[in-house]
């Protein structure tokens, strides 16, 4: 059974700092991995999707990497801004499955 | 405007009542999903549907029911058999093929009084 863990559960940084969010998964037979952002009381917004054959994806100040063999992904946020404050969720779709398995998220606060 | 709409935004239910949460999408997506989110928890899959008139149970389907009579609509009924229904419910959709990204609605917060 696939399990997804995100560390840390919460992170507070000053504006302008570069930061890394971590995601680990137990079964390396994955189809893809997604990073989402969730603002309080809102739905999820997809940030990046990495296919199992890819090592990384980039969008603006965001870079996500994937190491299947070690069961890890990282989300790198460059030059953080107060508007980046949100909960970031990692989700894995295993091979042969239609389902996404989510981590519990990392709550990020960027202080002005 | 293309997207996923969920209604109502807030819903209050008395114990013993069934309630239905609406999810509509105009993205022409084939697959639709219902998730439940509890405070400090990740999302858990309730039901999903890949085509009209077909749906499968997710990890926590007990006490819930769905229908998929139209491609655009995937309503979720929370029945009285669901013992702890207070939660935030999220609907999502995904096109078959393509990027495989799931697109989420704004959510419905259900509270049992």
């Amino acid at each position: 059974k696939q399990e997804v863990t995100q560390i840390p559960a919460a992170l507070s940084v000053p504006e302008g700092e570069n930061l890394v969010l971590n995601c680990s998964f137990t079964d390396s037979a994955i189809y893809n991995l997604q990073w989402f952002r969730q603002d309080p009381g809102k739905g999820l917004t997809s940030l990046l999707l990495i296919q199992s054959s890819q090592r990384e994806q980039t969008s603006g100040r965001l870079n996500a990497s994937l190491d299947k063999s070690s069961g890890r992904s990282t989300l790198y946020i460059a030059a953080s801004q107060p508007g980046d404050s949100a909960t970031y969720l990692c989700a894995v779709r295993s091979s042969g499955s239609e389902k996404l398995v989510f981590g519990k998220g990392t709550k990020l606060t960027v202080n002005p | 405007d293309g997207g996923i709409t969920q209604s109502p935004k807030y819903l209050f239910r008395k114990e013993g009542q069934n309630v239905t949460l609406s999810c509509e999408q105009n993205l022409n997506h084939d697959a639709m999903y219902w998730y439940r989110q509890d405070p400090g928890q990740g999302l858990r899959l309730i039901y999903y549907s890949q085509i009209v008139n077909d749906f499968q149970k997710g990890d926590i389907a007990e006490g819930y029911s769905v229908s998929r009579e139209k491609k655009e609509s995937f309503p979720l009924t929370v029945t009285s058999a669901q013992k702890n229904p207070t939660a935030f419910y999220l609907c999502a959709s995904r096109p078959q093929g393509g990027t495989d990204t799931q697109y989420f609605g704004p959510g419905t917060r259900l509270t049992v009084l």
Side-chain angles (χ1 to χ4, degrees):
Chain A
K1 177 185 174 185
Q2 180 73 267
E3 293 182 1
V4 179
T5 303
Q6 291 186 247
I7 295 173
L11 180 64
S12 181
V13 301
E15 182 177 3
E17 190 163 297
N18 302 327
L19 60 100
V20 174
L21 306 181
N22 296 294
C23 172
S24 62
F25 46 94
T26 54
D27 185 352
S28 61
I30 68 168
Y31 185 70
N32 61 43
L33 181 145
Q34 288 186 249
W35 284 93
F36 293 89
R37 168 185 173 137
Q38 186 177 30
D39 292 293
K42 306 290 186 182
L44 276 64
T45 300
S46 179
L47 297 173
L48 290 165
L49 182 149
I50 310 177
Q51 300 290 358
S52 62
S53 58
Q54 298 174 321
R55 292 296 299 246
E56 65 178 328
Q57 282 285 342
T58 299
S59 176
R61 294 182 294 108
L62 305 180
N63 176 275
S65 68
L66 174 65
D67 185 341
K68 274 201 315 178
S69 61
S70 66
R72 294 180 183 176
S73 175
T74 61
L75 179 66
Y76 174 83
I77 302 177
S80 59
Q81 302 170 358
D84 295 329
S85 298
T87 296
Y88 290 80
L89 293 156
C90 169
V92 172
R93 182 178 173 191
S94 295
S95 298
S97 173
E98 176 67 20
K99 305 176 186 179
L100 282 181
V101 178
F102 283 82
K104 294 182 180 180
T106 294
K107 184 176 182 180
L108 173 65
T109 302
V110 181
N111 301 300
Chain B
D1 252 345
I4 302 176
T5 57
Q6 291 187 241
S7 61
K9 185 173 182 178
Y10 299 97
L11 186 57
F12 298 91
R13 190 194 93 170
K14 294 180 180 178
E15 289 204 20
Q17 280 184 337
N18 293 352
V19 291
T20 297
L21 284 59
S22 169
C23 177
E24 304 277 334
Q25 54 97 0
N26 61 5
L27 300 168
N28 199 33
H29 288 174
D30 294 293
M32 296 186 73
Y33 308 80
W34 274 106
Y35 295 92
R36 169 181 172 142
Q37 186 176 34
D38 294 282
Q41 301 294 317
L43 278 66
R44 292 182 291 168
L45 183 65
I46 305 173
Y47 269 98
Y48 65 100
S49 168
Q50 293 178 269
I51 56 172
V52 174
N53 293 322
D54 188 46
F55 47 83
Q56 287 78 41
K57 293 182 180 179
D59 299 317
I60 55 165
E62 185 175 352
Y64 299 97
S65 66
V66 293
S67 63
R68 187 84 187 276
E69 298 177 0
K70 299 186 298 182
K71 188 176 185 178
E72 303 80 20
S73 178
F74 191 40
L76 173 74
T77 296
V78 184
T79 75
S80 57
Q82 170 50 236
K83 298 306 179 188
N84 185 23
T86 295
F88 189 50
Y89 291 85
L90 288 158
C91 178
S93 70
R94 180 181 69 82
Q96 295 288 24
T99 64
D100 204 42
T101 299
Q102 287 196 16
Y103 296 83
F104 282 78
T108 292
R109 186 165 300 280
L110 172 63
T111 303
V112 174
L113 301 174

